[in-house]
PDB file of all heavy atoms in Angstrom:
ATOM      1  N   GLU A 241     -55.519  29.969  26.481  1.00  0.00           N
ATOM      2  CA  GLU A 241     -55.351  30.654  27.763  1.00  0.00           C
ATOM      3  C   GLU A 241     -54.565  29.839  28.771  1.00  0.00           C
ATOM      4  O   GLU A 241     -54.686  28.630  28.813  1.00  0.00           O
ATOM      5  CB  GLU A 241     -56.773  30.931  28.325  1.00  0.00           C
ATOM      6  CG  GLU A 241     -56.739  31.705  29.658  1.00  0.00           C
ATOM      7  CD  GLU A 241     -58.123  32.124  30.106  1.00  0.00           C
ATOM      8  OE1 GLU A 241     -58.993  32.251  29.260  1.00  0.00           O
ATOM      9  OE2 GLU A 241     -58.287  32.345  31.324  1.00  0.00           O
ATOM     10  N   LYS A 242     -53.771  30.503  29.531  1.00  0.00           N
ATOM     11  CA  LYS A 242     -52.891  29.847  30.512  1.00  0.00           C
ATOM     12  C   LYS A 242     -53.741  29.063  31.516  1.00  0.00           C
ATOM     13  O   LYS A 242     -54.766  29.538  32.027  1.00  0.00           O
ATOM     14  CB  LYS A 242     -52.084  30.911  31.250  1.00  0.00           C
ATOM     15  CG  LYS A 242     -51.147  30.336  32.285  1.00  0.00           C
ATOM     16  CD  LYS A 242     -49.972  29.628  31.696  1.00  0.00           C
ATOM     17  CE  LYS A 242     -48.945  29.226  32.731  1.00  0.00           C
ATOM     18  NZ  LYS A 242     -47.803  28.482  32.151  1.00  0.00           N
ATOM     19  N   ILE A 243     -53.356  27.809  31.752  1.00  0.00           N
ATOM     20  CA  ILE A 243     -54.042  26.992  32.733  1.00  0.00           C
ATOM     21  C   ILE A 243     -53.013  26.553  33.808  1.00  0.00           C
ATOM     22  O   ILE A 243     -51.821  26.470  33.562  1.00  0.00           O
ATOM     23  CB  ILE A 243     -54.705  25.749  32.107  1.00  0.00           C
ATOM     24  CG1 ILE A 243     -53.664  24.833  31.464  1.00  0.00           C
ATOM     25  CG2 ILE A 243     -55.746  26.161  31.101  1.00  0.00           C
ATOM     26  CD1 ILE A 243     -54.208  23.511  31.061  1.00  0.00           C
ATOM     27  N   ALA A 244     -53.565  26.252  35.006  1.00  0.00           N
ATOM     28  CA  ALA A 244     -52.678  25.907  36.135  1.00  0.00           C
ATOM     29  C   ALA A 244     -52.286  24.458  36.098  1.00  0.00           C
ATOM     30  O   ALA A 244     -51.182  24.087  36.521  1.00  0.00           O
ATOM     31  CB  ALA A 244     -53.380  26.263  37.455  1.00  0.00           C
ATOM     32  N   THR A 245     -53.199  23.598  35.664  1.00  0.00           N
ATOM     33  CA  THR A 245     -52.918  22.163  35.615  1.00  0.00           C
ATOM     34  C   THR A 245     -54.016  21.477  34.774  1.00  0.00           C
ATOM     35  O   THR A 245     -54.964  22.163  34.338  1.00  0.00           O
ATOM     36  CB  THR A 245     -52.904  21.555  37.018  1.00  0.00           C
ATOM     37  OG1 THR A 245     -52.400  20.234  36.981  1.00  0.00           O
ATOM     38  CG2 THR A 245     -54.277  21.520  37.643  1.00  0.00           C
ATOM     39  N   ARG A 246     -53.854  20.199  34.505  1.00  0.00           N
ATOM     40  CA  ARG A 246     -54.868  19.449  33.742  1.00  0.00           C
ATOM     41  C   ARG A 246     -55.385  18.316  34.642  1.00  0.00           C
ATOM     42  O   ARG A 246     -54.635  17.750  35.411  1.00  0.00           O
ATOM     43  CB  ARG A 246     -54.265  18.818  32.476  1.00  0.00           C
ATOM     44  CG  ARG A 246     -53.693  19.796  31.501  1.00  0.00           C
ATOM     45  CD  ARG A 246     -53.053  19.115  30.330  1.00  0.00           C
ATOM     46  NE  ARG A 246     -54.033  18.539  29.417  1.00  0.00           N
ATOM     47  CZ  ARG A 246     -54.173  17.231  29.155  1.00  0.00           C
ATOM     48  NH1 ARG A 246     -53.420  16.367  29.745  1.00  0.00           N
ATOM     49  NH2 ARG A 246     -55.083  16.800  28.278  1.00  0.00           N
ATOM     50  N   LEU A 247     -56.697  18.012  34.507  1.00  0.00           N
ATOM     51  CA  LEU A 247     -57.327  16.973  35.276  1.00  0.00           C
ATOM     52  C   LEU A 247     -58.144  16.082  34.352  1.00  0.00           C
ATOM     53  O   LEU A 247     -58.876  16.576  33.484  1.00  0.00           O
ATOM     54  CB  LEU A 247     -58.230  17.548  36.374  1.00  0.00           C
ATOM     55  CG  LEU A 247     -57.605  18.284  37.529  1.00  0.00           C
ATOM     56  CD1 LEU A 247     -58.718  18.781  38.447  1.00  0.00           C
ATOM     57  CD2 LEU A 247     -56.645  17.381  38.310  1.00  0.00           C
ATOM     58  N   TYR A 248     -58.045  14.759  34.600  1.00  0.00           N
ATOM     59  CA  TYR A 248     -58.945  13.839  33.968  1.00  0.00           C
ATOM     60  C   TYR A 248     -60.168  13.664  34.841  1.00  0.00           C
ATOM     61  O   TYR A 248     -60.069  13.466  36.077  1.00  0.00           O
ATOM     62  CB  TYR A 248     -58.286  12.469  33.776  1.00  0.00           C
ATOM     63  CG  TYR A 248     -59.246  11.435  33.260  1.00  0.00           C
ATOM     64  CD1 TYR A 248     -59.484  11.310  31.889  1.00  0.00           C
ATOM     65  CD2 TYR A 248     -59.888  10.537  34.124  1.00  0.00           C
ATOM     66  CE1 TYR A 248     -60.351  10.356  31.437  1.00  0.00           C
ATOM     67  CE2 TYR A 248     -60.760   9.585  33.643  1.00  0.00           C
ATOM     68  CZ  TYR A 248     -60.988   9.506  32.290  1.00  0.00           C
ATOM     69  OH  TYR A 248     -61.830   8.567  31.808  1.00  0.00           O
ATOM     70  N   ILE A 249     -61.371  13.746  34.261  1.00  0.00           N
ATOM     71  CA  ILE A 249     -62.606  13.595  35.038  1.00  0.00           C
ATOM     72  C   ILE A 249     -63.493  12.618  34.263  1.00  0.00           C
ATOM     73  O   ILE A 249     -63.299  12.372  33.088  1.00  0.00           O
ATOM     74  CB  ILE A 249     -63.310  14.930  35.241  1.00  0.00           C
ATOM     75  CG1 ILE A 249     -63.720  15.528  33.917  1.00  0.00           C
ATOM     76  CG2 ILE A 249     -62.461  15.896  36.051  1.00  0.00           C
ATOM     77  CD1 ILE A 249     -64.616  16.758  34.008  1.00  0.00           C
ATOM     78  N   GLU A 250     -64.487  12.099  34.935  1.00  0.00           N
ATOM     79  CA  GLU A 250     -65.393  11.167  34.331  1.00  0.00           C
ATOM     80  C   GLU A 250     -66.631  11.827  33.687  1.00  0.00           C
ATOM     81  O   GLU A 250     -67.231  11.319  32.749  1.00  0.00           O
ATOM     82  CB  GLU A 250     -65.918  10.117  35.375  1.00  0.00           C
ATOM     83  CG  GLU A 250     -64.835   9.289  36.022  1.00  0.00           C
ATOM     84  CD  GLU A 250     -64.300   8.241  35.051  1.00  0.00           C
ATOM     85  OE1 GLU A 250     -64.925   7.992  33.991  1.00  0.00           O
ATOM     86  OE2 GLU A 250     -63.251   7.645  35.374  1.00  0.00           O
ATOM     87  N   GLN A 251     -67.017  13.025  34.187  1.00  0.00           N
ATOM     88  CA  GLN A 251     -68.247  13.648  33.751  1.00  0.00           C
ATOM     89  C   GLN A 251     -68.169  14.133  32.286  1.00  0.00           C
ATOM     90  O   GLN A 251     -67.121  14.380  31.751  1.00  0.00           O
ATOM     91  CB  GLN A 251     -68.572  14.840  34.667  1.00  0.00           C
ATOM     92  CG  GLN A 251     -68.838  14.446  36.120  1.00  0.00           C
ATOM     93  CD  GLN A 251     -67.585  14.541  36.983  1.00  0.00           C
ATOM     94  OE1 GLN A 251     -66.483  14.248  36.531  1.00  0.00           O
ATOM     95  NE2 GLN A 251     -67.755  15.013  38.191  1.00  0.00           N
ATOM     96  N   ASP A 252     -69.341  14.265  31.700  1.00  0.00           N
ATOM     97  CA  ASP A 252     -69.455  14.859  30.346  1.00  0.00           C
ATOM     98  C   ASP A 252     -69.059  16.293  30.428  1.00  0.00           C
ATOM     99  O   ASP A 252     -69.293  16.980  31.458  1.00  0.00           O
ATOM    100  CB  ASP A 252     -70.883  14.720  29.790  1.00  0.00           C
ATOM    101  CG  ASP A 252     -71.257  13.278  29.533  1.00  0.00           C
ATOM    102  OD1 ASP A 252     -70.355  12.462  29.318  1.00  0.00           O
ATOM    103  OD2 ASP A 252     -72.471  12.968  29.513  1.00  0.00           O
ATOM    104  N   LEU A 253     -68.509  16.809  29.323  1.00  0.00           N
ATOM    105  CA  LEU A 253     -68.026  18.191  29.285  1.00  0.00           C
ATOM    106  C   LEU A 253     -68.830  18.983  28.245  1.00  0.00           C
ATOM    107  O   LEU A 253     -68.965  18.561  27.096  1.00  0.00           O
ATOM    108  CB  LEU A 253     -66.526  18.224  28.935  1.00  0.00           C
ATOM    109  CG  LEU A 253     -65.640  17.588  30.004  1.00  0.00           C
ATOM    110  CD1 LEU A 253     -64.202  17.467  29.452  1.00  0.00           C
ATOM    111  CD2 LEU A 253     -65.636  18.430  31.283  1.00  0.00           C
ATOM    112  N   ARG A 254     -69.302  20.173  28.666  1.00  0.00           N
ATOM    113  CA  ARG A 254     -70.000  21.081  27.776  1.00  0.00           C
ATOM    114  C   ARG A 254     -69.922  22.458  28.396  1.00  0.00           C
ATOM    115  O   ARG A 254     -69.756  22.595  29.629  1.00  0.00           O
ATOM    116  CB  ARG A 254     -71.438  20.671  27.546  1.00  0.00           C
ATOM    117  CG  ARG A 254     -72.280  20.763  28.784  1.00  0.00           C
ATOM    118  CD  ARG A 254     -73.696  20.256  28.548  1.00  0.00           C
ATOM    119  NE  ARG A 254     -74.566  20.511  29.697  1.00  0.00           N
ATOM    120  CZ  ARG A 254     -74.575  19.802  30.794  1.00  0.00           C
ATOM    121  NH1 ARG A 254     -73.787  18.722  30.860  1.00  0.00           N
ATOM    122  NH2 ARG A 254     -75.398  20.096  31.769  1.00  0.00           N
ATOM    123  N   ALA A 255     -70.041  23.500  27.584  1.00  0.00           N
ATOM    124  CA  ALA A 255     -70.003  24.839  28.105  1.00  0.00           C
ATOM    125  C   ALA A 255     -71.113  25.085  29.075  1.00  0.00           C
ATOM    126  O   ALA A 255     -72.280  24.728  28.855  1.00  0.00           O
ATOM    127  CB  ALA A 255     -70.132  25.843  26.948  1.00  0.00           C
TER     128      ALA A 255
END
Side-chain angles (χ1 to χ4, degrees):
E241 181 173 335
K242 180 72 174 179
I243 63 170
T245 191
R246 299 176 75 242
L247 291 179
Y248 173 83
I249 62 172
E250 298 287 347
Q251 297 93 324
D252 293 336
L253 295 170
R254 66 182 187 280

